[in-house]
Amino acid sequence: EPVRKVVAGNSPVLCRSLPLPFAARELKEFMQELGYKIIDDKLWMTPAAKHPPTMLRLDVPKSKKIDGFLFYHIECVLEMPERCKVPRLEWRCLRRLSFLRDGLHDPIKEGGELRGDYQETFGGKHFPTKYVVGDKHRALSNWLAKMAESVNQQKYSPAFTATILQILGAPDAFHHSVMRQLDQDSNSSPKRLEEEKRQEEEQRKKAEEQQEEDRKKKIEACKKAEAQADEARRRIEERRLMAVADQDSQRREKAEKAAAEDDEDETSGSEEDRSEEPMEDDRTLDGAEQG
């Protein structure tokens, strides 16, 4: 049956079905107990400089057959520097290759859970298949090690990171006897919870402020682009009007020049007419005198 939580013990954790997803509140509790700081199922909380982040380490030393099926023995280590009294959790789990492929490989490579390029993240480490002949233990161990590195780099959402830890059988730290006893004995537990709540609220406010700032930047960029477009349209219109004015001015100059030439032709024609009239009178007088 699918399980939500397991308790680490001396024996490897054996799961035959993929785990059920956490509800929002259960997710935050589960991740917080394992040293992870999250805002919600999609956003991580930025770790404080004095508290290094939780680190996951994975190795596959061997395999064994159970009920005729081959199970791989995975050794898991979760280093939690922020939990000074229990800075390290170790457990083992037994998983079939098909279980790991369906629960981890396929969602990471093809399901869009990875925030980045698959080939770049896994650096040529291939997930083994049942048809490949060779050292499947080492191939699986190399692939899981690369996956653990990407988990440590927060390349997955908090929700899918929790799914990875569930698939690997990560212990429920709250129900783990050692962790629970230490939390009960710690006098600073209420103060720590209050401080964590305050930090969470600060992180949320910072995230909201960043979103608001990004929104304002987008609005300013849109306004700037619109202003630039308006300025470009204004300049184009100015150039068009100047071109029209130049054309009108040239037409007027041509018309004035043509009119001036017509006036000049009329003036010269009148002068020629006046110069021809006396000559005609002189011929008339000469004829009269001869008669």
Side-chain angles (χ1 to χ4, degrees), residues 122-261:
F122 284 84
K125 303 299 182 183
H126 301 288
F127 189 87
T129 64
K130 61 181 180 180
Y131 302 106
V132 174
V133 178
D135 190 355
K136 292 183 181 179
H137 299 91
R138 186 48 45 196
L140 180 59
S141 183
N142 292 337
W143 190 89
L144 288 175
K146 284 293 184 180
M147 186 199 68
E149 289 181 10
S150 57
V151 169
N152 297 335
Q153 295 168 3
Q154 297 183 352
K155 289 192 175 183
Y156 309 101
S157 66
F160 188 70
T161 300
T163 299
I164 291 174
L165 294 170
Q166 285 180 284
I167 289 174
L168 295 173
D172 179 2
F174 181 77
H175 292 283
H176 191 279
S177 60
V178 176
M179 297 287 289
R180 181 175 56 186
Q181 187 62 41
L182 289 173
D183 285 341
Q184 289 176 350
D185 293 342
S186 175
N187 294 327
S188 61
S189 180
K191 293 182 179 180
R192 189 187 71 250
L193 293 175
E194 183 178 351
E195 178 66 18
E196 290 174 352
K197 185 177 181 180
R198 185 187 63 79
Q199 292 178 359
E200 178 182 344
E201 186 63 25
E202 289 180 355
Q203 290 291 335
R204 186 179 294 278
K205 287 182 179 179
K206 287 181 180 179
E208 291 176 353
E209 290 174 357
Q210 185 64 39
Q211 291 177 354
E212 181 66 18
E213 184 177 352
D214 293 341
R215 188 184 67 82
K216 290 180 179 179
K217 287 181 179 179
K218 288 181 180 179
I219 294 174
E220 290 296 329
C222 291
K223 290 181 177 179
K224 186 176 180 180
E226 291 177 358
Q228 291 175 348
D230 292 340
E231 179 65 18
R233 287 193 291 268
R234 185 184 64 79
R235 291 180 180 178
I236 292 172
E237 183 65 17
E238 287 181 354
R239 288 195 291 267
R240 187 186 68 80
L241 293 176
M242 290 176 64
V244 171
D246 290 341
Q247 292 176 356
D248 292 341
S249 177
Q250 291 175 3
R251 284 196 293 268
R252 286 195 298 271
E253 289 178 357
K254 288 181 180 179
E256 292 173 356
K257 185 176 181 181
E261 290 177 352

Side-chain angles (χ1 to χ4, degrees), residues 57-112:
R57 306 277 184 255
L58 301 173
D59 188 26
V60 184
K62 59 183 179 180
S63 63
K64 64 183 296 185
K65 279 196 172 183
I66 301 177
D67 298 333
F69 296 102
L70 185 64
F71 284 76
Y72 288 87
H73 186 116
I74 304 175
E75 293 184 349
C76 312
V77 177
L78 201 59
E79 297 176 351
M80 305 178 291
E82 187 171 351
R83 286 184 172 272
C84 57
K85 294 186 178 181
V86 183
R88 183 184 179 95
L89 279 178
E90 298 183 15
W91 72 95
R92 296 169 291 166
C93 65
L94 292 171
R95 296 291 182 269
R96 291 185 62 190
L97 201 60
S98 59
F99 184 91
L100 297 173
R101 184 188 304 109
D102 294 341
L104 300 178
H105 175 265
D106 291 352
I108 290 174
K109 186 175 182 180
E110 302 171 1

